[in-house]
Amino acid sequence: ADSLSHESQLESQASRDSAASESYASQRSADSLSHESQASRASESQASESYASQRSADSLSHDSQLESQASRDRASQASASESYASQRSADSLSHESQLESQASRDSAASESYA
């Protein structure tokens, strides 16, 4: 009877050891999955931050390009205005010169006639 009781105790202990081992393996597996899930979330977060950072950089670059274009447009308009004003001034001087020349010729012709 003692022998049977001892065998029963050994079987019971072996069963408990096996259950504990399975529980430990199951917990390790759950921990591993949890760790992988955390790593995946961290990777997704980094990708999201990288995308947001790139979008921000693209936006700044685009703003800079627009400002640069606007600056070139203003410079071009100013140059065109100056060129127009300069041409008008030259035309005016040329016209005055022509009028003076015509008046001089008229005066000379009048004196010659007299």
Side-chain angles (χ1 to χ4, degrees):
D2 288 345
S3 176
L4 286 174
S5 173
H6 184 65
E7 284 179 18
S8 175
Q9 287 175 355
L10 288 178
E11 285 177 9
S12 179
Q13 184 62 48
S15 177
R16 284 195 299 274
D17 289 348
S18 176
S21 179
E22 287 176 14
S23 174
Y24 176 76
S26 175
Q27 185 60 47
R28 284 295 299 270
S29 177
D31 290 346
S32 176
L33 288 173
S34 173
H35 182 70
E36 287 175 13
S37 176
Q38 288 173 355
S40 176
R41 283 195 300 273
S43 177
E44 288 172 8
S45 176
Q46 286 176 344
S48 181
E49 286 174 14
S50 175
Y51 176 75
S53 176
Q54 185 60 46
R55 282 294 299 270
S56 178
D58 289 347
S59 177
L60 287 172
S61 174
H62 187 237
D63 288 349
S64 176
Q65 288 173 356
L66 289 178
E67 287 175 13
S68 180
Q69 184 62 48
S71 178
R72 286 194 298 271
D73 290 347
R74 284 192 298 272
S76 179
Q77 286 174 344
S79 176
S81 293
E82 287 175 14
S83 176
Y84 178 74
S86 175
Q87 186 60 48
R88 284 294 300 268
S89 178
D91 290 347
S92 177
L93 287 173
S94 174
H95 188 237
E96 286 177 15
S97 176
Q98 287 172 359
L99 289 178
E100 286 176 8
S101 179
Q102 185 62 48
S104 177
R105 283 195 302 274
D106 290 349
S107 175
S110 179
E111 286 175 13
S112 173
Y113 178 74

